[in-house]
Amino acid sequence: MREKIAGLLEQIQSFEAESREHLEAFRIQYLSKKGLIPALFNDFKQVAAEDRKEMGMLLNNLKQKAQEILDLQQERFVAVKENKIQMDTSLPAPALGGGRHPLSIVRRDLNSIFERIGFKIAEGPEIEDDFHNFTALNFPEEHPARDMQDTFFISKSPDIALRTHTSSVQVRVMEQGKLPIRIIAPGRVFRNEAISARAHCIFHQIEGLYIDKDVSFADLKQTLFYFAQEFFGPETKIRFRPSYFPFTETSAEMDVSCNICGGKGCNICKYSGWVEILGCGMVDPNVLEACGIDSNVYSGYAFGMGIERITMMKYQINDLRLFFENDMRFLKQFETLV
Ligand code: PHE
């Protein structure tokens, strides 16, 4: 028996598994119920009483070694397998289903609606300085209008902040001095607001700006009427209400007839039949001058709206937080849209 144990010990210690199958064969040969080691345990019954202590130790040691070798080599195979998954960057990506985020669907829609009437897409930085976010837009220093938009500051003097609106892109485009200008600027904006079903500290806006000779409020109205019908459908009506923005004069807010109840009144439009969707107006001459454009020669209009708001209306989404939570049950509902 002593020789048998020594022989097996030698065999298992020189074992080197070449594959998972090879390792499994090792387990079956030595450790399975009908394997060589349990067979030795069977023989143990016949061992003379005085040798039992020594044989017992040798046998237990053999079994332990075999188990260790098995575990160790098994680990190696698992490690290699995982490694392959992580490291083989040449493998083709598995076909994941998936679709576009509703905000992306709407942003693309908006881009195409405005591109069809000659608007180009412009971009600006999300981290902005005070001049582009406020000063050039006719927000004087210490003016209370700055409080209309709770700002996330990054530094004070120089004043650097996360932009509170996409109107900062207007300034960046006007500064370049290439006229006429006809752009839209979709992008992310930031405000220090309490998060609720109707507000978030991050959201998206789209800005429009048209500067040329003889641009009038009638041009603005017609452009926005076209947009409302393209986006919400041909039955959609619009109305303007006077408003105030430091960077436009005259300023207005635009409502669209509620697309849920068709204007009859429901809880979305608070039984008024109308939903406010954007701010707009004629670019204030002070803004043109601050950006180096002669306000005696040029005039223009601007508008800005929240993308979340109109997406919620279009797809009847009742909680703005859903856009940012990436809950698959929500996102899957948009899979078939492009
Ligand atoms: N920037 C304004 C806002 O964030 C919207 C706006 C843009 C109003 C352009 C008028 C003209 O509320």
Side-chain angles (χ1 to χ4, degrees):
M1 179 129 194
R2 190 175 287 118
E3 289 79 59
K4 266 197 189 167
I5 296 176
L8 286 185
L9 194 61
E10 222 182 278
Q11 281 177 28
I12 62 167
Q13 278 176 332
S14 61
F15 176 76
E16 195 66 62
E18 279 154 20
S19 62
R20 298 182 134 237
E21 293 71 30
H22 192 199
L23 190 63
E24 177 61 5
F26 170 88
R27 189 190 66 78
I28 293 169
Q29 189 183 358
Y30 293 98
L31 288 163
S32 69
K33 264 195 188 137
K34 291 187 177 148
L36 294 170
I37 296 175
L40 279 181
F41 274 93
N42 260 338
D43 298 348
F44 183 72
K45 290 171 199 144
Q46 276 112 52
V47 172
E50 64 269 28
D51 294 334
R52 284 207 162 185
K53 196 172 171 202
E54 191 200 347
M55 287 308 147
M57 273 166 58
L58 289 175
L59 255 181
N60 277 330
N61 178 51
L62 175 69
K63 188 179 171 197
Q64 205 183 330
K65 280 268 148 53
Q67 191 62 49
E68 270 172 27
I69 286 165
L70 182 72
D71 291 347
L72 212 81
Q73 304 211 8
Q74 216 149 31
E75 249 171 49
R76 211 181 72 203
F77 282 115
V78 172
V80 168
K81 203 181 163 214
E82 277 172 3
N83 219 14
K84 265 197 184 147
I85 293 172
Q86 280 171 11
M87 298 305 295
D88 191 350
T89 49
S90 66
L91 281 175
L96 295 170
R100 280 181 208 289
H101 191 281
L103 293 176
S104 301
I105 295 169
V106 166
R107 197 189 51 220
R108 286 176 132 212
D109 245 19
L110 294 170
N111 287 353
S112 105
I113 289 172
F114 285 105
E115 275 174 333
R116 287 206 288 279
I117 54 168
F119 282 79
K120 294 263 179 299
I121 296 167
E123 280 185 338
E126 290 174 0
I127 298 174
E128 246 326 347
D129 53 35
D130 181 88
F131 178 78
H132 292 90
N133 197 78
F134 290 124
T135 305
L137 288 165
N138 203 31
F139 286 82
E141 204 88 27
E142 311 301 335
H143 192 281
R146 292 190 183 213
D147 298 339
M148 276 163 63
Q149 307 183 348
D150 292 318
T151 310
F152 283 121
F153 285 100
I154 290 176
S155 76
K156 280 264 173 201
S157 68
D159 266 339
I160 306 287
L162 297 177
R163 68 178 176 197
T164 59
H165 52 181
T166 42
S167 300
S168 56
V169 184
Q170 287 188 30
V171 179
R172 295 214 166 253
V173 176
M174 283 191 268
E175 272 174 342
Q176 289 167 9
K178 282 190 218 110
L179 293 155
I181 293 168
R182 194 185 285 164
I183 57 108
I184 48 165
R188 206 178 283 148
V189 300
F190 308 83
R191 290 186 197 176
N192 189 4
E193 293 204 27
I195 296 170
S196 72
R198 303 186 62 85
H200 210 290
C201 55
I202 304 177
F203 56 101
H204 298 78
Q205 287 188 331
I206 185 166
E207 189 85 6
L209 177 70
Y210 178 35
I211 311 255
D212 204 344
K213 291 172 182 150
D214 301 323
V215 178
S216 71
F217 200 87
D219 297 323
L220 171 63
K221 277 165 80 174
Q222 190 57 38
T223 302
L224 292 176
F225 183 53
Y226 156 80
F227 149 73
Q229 296 218 321
E230 290 292 307
F231 188 76
F232 291 110
E235 307 301 318
T236 311
K237 296 187 195 63
I238 58 169
R239 75 176 185 190
F240 291 83
R241 284 176 294 101
S243 185
Y244 170 76
F245 300 101
F247 36 93
T248 47
E249 180 62 39
T250 42
S251 304
E253 276 169 327
M254 187 180 95
D255 301 339
V256 291
S257 53
C258 178
N259 69 323
I260 309 292
C261 61
K264 285 189 205 78
C266 67
N267 61 350
I268 301 293
C269 59
K270 300 197 194 93
Y271 300 96
S272 70
W274 297 94
V275 182
E276 185 230 310
I277 63 159
L278 60 79
C280 61
M282 302 308 291
V283 179
D284 193 300
N286 286 344
V287 175
L288 296 175
E289 296 295 335
C291 298
I293 295 174
D294 185 347
S295 63
N296 294 315
V297 181
Y298 286 95
S299 57
Y301 66 68
F303 58 86
M305 71 186 123
I307 299 184
E308 279 78 1
R309 167 83 62 95
I310 58 172
T311 307
M312 288 169 81
M313 280 180 74
K314 186 158 183 171
Y315 296 117
Q316 305 187 18
I317 298 163
N318 60 11
D319 192 323
L320 198 143
R321 290 167 290 200
L322 285 164
F323 290 124
F324 302 98
E325 284 167 356
N326 287 335
D327 185 328
M328 289 304 285
R329 291 168 300 181
F330 172 68
L331 296 176
K332 270 187 174 299
Q333 296 176 50
F334 300 90
E335 244 171 26
T336 52
L337 303 171
V338 281

